[in-house]
Structures are given as structure tokens and as C-alpha cells.
Amino acid sequence: MSRNETASEKTRRKPMTARELARMLGVSQSAVSRAFTPGASIAPELREKIVRFAEDVDYHPNAIASMLSKSRTNIVGIVISDMQNPFYPALIEQLSRALQRIGLQSLMFNITKGTNLEEQLSALRRYNVDAVIIISATILSGPTLRWATEGRAAILINRVAEDTELSCVICDNAEGARAIADHFHAIGRRRVAYVAGLSHTTTNRERQNAFITRVAEHGMTLSALIDGNEYSYYAGRTAAFDILARGETDAIFFANDILAAGGLDALKERGVSVPEDIAVAGFDDISMAAWPHYDLTTFRQPIDMIVDVAVAMIENGSCAPGQRPTIRRISGELVKRGSTAIVDP
């Protein structure tokens, strides 16, 4: 255990404990703990001795053990239940980086459908996290969310939970849906369809209601309203085949981009020309929306701004227990691509 020890030898060796380090130095275990705790009471000479020796033997404090003994851990729990949607990994990546910039680490809890939710969420309650961020965990009910986040700062992203008192940060879904309807009208489409992902979610309801209302205001016809039952590629394919069977549609708004990708492929398989025969739009602007194969017109969710607002709310304590919950709707941007082709005048 010297400075000359190879990297492979360090990797194979079991990490040294604080107790072992204290015994080697002839000091108390609490002295070792104070040496690695900013602001703790310890003589400067002793701190320097402990830290320097720790470097020599490649000792690193156990962060988990340390957090269990403190009231604050600087860890934020991130709860997600839909990792199949490419939008969420991109969101989580930016969110974890933003948390790191303010000195917080993230611990992810992937809640899977069809299992005992209470058992999965009990782990969240056992960990002494400072805050919880729930990312569109649609399989969790309001009471379950309240139970899981009890006594902690908590915030929802991309979902409004109407039966909880949790703060929310979401894209302005109604704004995006209206922008899609306006674009369809501007390029001369008059019989339009809407494909939902999960019809019961607030995110979908906001997009669906705003789109249908705007379509009516323009004097257009809603030719089909399809519930895909999930935000997936295959749900989009099935919905597109259903719309084709009904006929009389010249534009389709899919509730998100992964649905639209499935729908586009289904249309092309049936020999439908996009956008000449049917224009297609999605929502989110995931990376694959810009791929040449899809070239999808979509409404871009402002991930950077959503993350900044959510992290700021955690940092300033505005989503802490006892604070009045707020809903922040962030404006996005319509991105026009080849699936609708014609640019608005």
C-alpha cells in the first residue's frame, strides 16, 4: 500500500475502512471522520497528517456511511417509470449534470410496471435523500407519490399530479399543440387526426384538448382520435394503420416523437407519400426526429430551461415541505422539417 502500488493492485484490494486507517495512524476513528468533514473541529496539523497518509494508502471516505450519520446527504433521488421513451434519458443526463454543478449527486429509482410499487418505493424512503424529482412516473398515483416523498423536497417534471401538493415543471403542452394545429392549417390540411399515448395523463390531456380546440377554431375536421395506450413505436404504427383504414385524413399529430416514428414507418410501408398525402408531426424533438429517415416536424421541449427551473427550485427550497406548490409551464419551439415540408408563410 505505497505510492508505488500499481493501479491493478489497487483495484483488486478491498477498500480501506476509516477504522483501519485510524488504527494505522494511532488516532481515533472520529478524528479520521473530522479530517474529511469540511468545517469540523480538528487541529490543522492532525488534519494534514491524516489526509496526507490517506493519500499514501489510497484511502477514500465512505460517502454512504457518512450520509447516514448526517441530516443532509447532498443526494437527490430521481424517479422514472418510462425508460423506453428516448426523451427521458436525455432529460436525466442534463438533470444529473445540473445537479452536480450545485454540489448534488443523483440516485435513480427506475419504477417498473407490473410489480409491487410499494416495495420499490420503500427503497426511496429508506435512502436519506435530500430531495426527490419524479419524471413523468405515470404509474404512480397521487397517494403513492405523497407517501414516497413525505417529509422531503419534491418536484414533478413533465407531469401535473392534480391530487397531490407537489410543485411541477412542464413544457407548455397546450402552446405546442396549438402550434401544430396552426401549422397544419397553414399548409392547407383540413382533415387531421390525433394519436394519444396515455389518454388519462395530464400531459396528454393538455395536448389533446388544445389541439382539438384549435382544430375547431380553424374550421378543420378531426378525422380520427386514437388512444395508443402507451408512448411507444409500435403503438404509433398500430395507430397509423387504423387511421389509414378509416381514410379521409391528410395530417396526423402524434402525442410524442416515438409514436410519430412508428407512424411514419407504417405510412411509408403502405405506400403513403409523406407529406404529399399525409403530413406528420410529433412532440418532444428527440434526437432521432432529425434523422434523415424521419425528418420529423415536432414541438421541441425546452429541456435546458426545464432542468434549470427544477434545479433552482431545489436549490432555493421553494419545493420543500410546507411550501406552497407551484406549476411552471415553460414555452417550447415548433421545429418544421420534411414530414410537413411546406414552411408557413
Side-chain angles (χ1 to χ4, degrees):
M1 294 187 297
S2 67
R3 291 181 183 274
N4 295 325
E5 186 177 29
T6 67
S8 60
E9 288 172 334
K10 290 180 180 180
T11 301
R12 290 194 300 269
R13 174 168 48 80
K14 184 179 179 180
M16 178 179 294
T17 67
R19 179 177 298 177
E20 291 169 338
L21 181 66
R23 186 170 60 247
M24 294 175 69
L25 279 166
V27 300
S28 68
Q29 187 174 341
S30 64
V32 172
S33 177
R34 291 196 302 274
F36 291 96
T37 303
S41 177
I42 184 173
E45 298 81 5
L46 181 57
R47 183 195 300 275
E48 183 179 356
K49 174 184 177 181
I50 293 172
V51 170
R52 183 171 296 176
F53 188 79
E55 290 178 354
D56 288 342
V57 298
D58 197 36
Y59 166 80
H60 301 281
N62 187 321
I64 298 298
S66 176
M67 84 176 187
L68 291 174
S69 64
K70 300 176 183 178
S71 59
R72 183 170 176 81
T73 64
N74 294 329
I75 294 179
V76 175
I78 299 177
V79 179
I80 179 71
S81 65
D82 186 13
M83 288 297 288
Q84 295 184 33
N85 186 343
F87 173 74
Y88 293 121
L91 174 61
I92 290 171
E93 180 182 9
Q94 292 202 34
L95 182 59
S96 62
R97 289 180 179 178
L99 290 169
Q100 288 175 351
R101 285 196 293 270
I102 63 170
L104 300 177
Q105 297 298 322
S106 54
L107 183 63
M108 194 173 78
F109 297 83
N110 186 13
I111 308 301
T112 54
K113 188 176 181 180
T115 56
N116 188 312
L117 298 180
E118 187 169 317
E119 286 184 1
Q120 294 182 74
L121 288 172
S122 63
L124 175 62
R125 288 173 60 90
R126 287 196 302 270
Y127 280 86
N128 190 21
V129 297
D130 294 335
V132 181
I133 298 175
I134 302 99
I135 300 179
S136 195
T138 54
I139 62 175
L140 302 180
S141 66
T144 303
L145 286 173
R146 287 196 299 271
W147 175 77
T149 60
E150 184 179 15
R152 294 182 174 90
I155 190 167
L156 277 162
I157 291 182
N158 203 41
R159 177 188 172 191
V160 175
E162 297 165 333
D163 51 354
T164 71
E165 293 187 351
L166 295 178
S167 291
C168 312
V169 182
I170 59 174
C171 175
D172 192 332
N173 294 298
E175 173 196 44
R178 287 192 296 267
I180 296 293
D182 291 345
H183 181 53
F184 282 167
H185 183 265
I187 62 174
R189 306 307 161 110
R190 296 297 180 264
R191 296 186 59 83
V192 301
Y194 178 79
V195 177
L198 292 170
S199 61
H200 68 279
T201 62
T202 54
T203 298
N204 179 77
R205 288 203 304 270
E206 289 178 356
R207 295 175 190 177
Q208 177 176 311
N209 293 342
F211 181 72
I212 292 174
T213 299
R214 197 65 156 184
V215 164
E217 291 172 351
H218 281 306
M220 302 155 71
T221 299
L222 186 70
S223 59
L225 177 60
I226 308 294
D227 185 356
N229 295 313
E230 62 181 14
Y231 290 100
S232 72
Y233 175 88
Y234 292 102
R237 283 176 56 85
T238 300
F241 289 141
D242 190 350
I243 291 169
L244 287 178
R246 302 183 187 199
E248 300 298 322
T249 292
D250 58 16
I252 307 173
F253 174 28
F254 291 87
N256 80 346
D257 289 347
I258 197 66
L259 284 167
L264 278 168
D265 284 343
L267 294 175
K268 292 173 182 179
E269 285 176 22
R270 292 292 172 87
V272 176
S273 180
V274 177
E276 288 79 8
D277 298 329
I278 297 179
V280 173
F283 203 108
D284 288 341
D285 196 29
I286 60 177
S287 60
M288 67 187 293
W291 293 358
H293 177 73
Y294 294 111
D295 200 17
L296 176 66
T297 291
T298 184
F299 192 80
R300 177 180 294 155
Q301 288 220 47
I303 293 182
D304 291 346
M305 183 63 70
I306 289 172
V307 166
D308 288 346
V309 170
V311 171
M313 291 174 72
I314 290 174
E315 189 174 23
N316 63 31
S318 61
C319 61
Q323 297 295 314
R324 185 176 180 178
T326 60
I327 298 176
R328 296 286 304 275
R329 287 184 169 84
I330 313 298
S331 292
E333 176 188 2
L334 179 65
V335 180
K336 302 167 190 173
R337 297 194 179 100
S339 66
T340 56
I342 303 173
V343 177
D344 290 349

